[in-house]
Amino acid sequence: EVQLQASGGGLVQAGGSLRLSCAASGFTSDDYAIGWFRQAPGKEREAVSCITNSDGTTYYADSVKGRFTISSDNAKNTVYLQMNNLKPEDTAVYYCVADSMLPARAMGVSASAHYWGHGTQVTVSS
């Protein structure tokens, strides 16, 4: 059974930084994509950033390019999202997601994933 355990959300002022972590377990191979989607009240779900575990290919939403960085530690089966220069519009519930059939870009473009972890709240005050 695939499990995704996310952590690291919180409250930060605009311009600040946060790092989200997601520990993955239960995958039977290294061939999967993992990343973060977010959902704010009244807004559509958005794929923020994804990474293909086997080759490190990444996807970023245009709204976070240059500010967010996704990385993975394969030894720990953990993916990180470093979020810098946070803006109030980044406020949302962030979900760690994964899929063993889609690479990072496809998962990002479709904003679709088979596996979901619990959300973690990120709040950016102005």
Side-chain angles (χ1 to χ4, degrees):
E1 179 187 4
V2 172
Q3 292 188 337
L4 304 172
Q5 184 66 44
S7 61
L11 172 65
V12 65
Q13 289 188 330
S17 298
L18 283 174
R19 188 176 80 158
L20 304 182
S21 300
C22 178
S25 62
F27 285 104
T28 57
S29 77
D30 292 334
D31 195 14
Y32 61 90
I34 186 168
W36 302 89
F37 293 175
R38 67 185 179 187
Q39 181 122 43
K43 294 186 178 180
E44 291 187 359
R45 180 172 67 202
E46 180 182 26
V48 177
S49 183
C50 309
I51 186 167
T52 301
N53 189 63
S54 58
D55 64 10
T57 304
T58 58
Y59 166 89
Y60 291 97
D62 287 343
S63 58
V64 306
K65 283 180 181 176
R67 299 188 298 122
F68 291 11
T69 303
I70 193 168
S71 62
S72 64
D73 184 335
N74 290 345
K76 296 181 179 180
N77 292 324
T78 300
V79 64
Y80 304 97
L81 185 68
Q82 179 66 41
M83 305 184 292
N84 297 329
N85 190 22
L86 282 159
K87 303 176 180 181
E89 51 264 42
D90 294 317
T91 296
V93 177
Y94 284 68
Y95 296 91
C96 180
V97 296
D99 199 294
S100 57
M101 299 297 292
L102 297 175
R105 188 173 188 280
M107 195 166 77
V109 170
S110 67
S112 175
H114 187 74
Y115 303 105
W116 288 68
H118 294 296
T120 184
Q121 177 71 43
V122 171
T123 303
V124 184
S125 62
S126 58

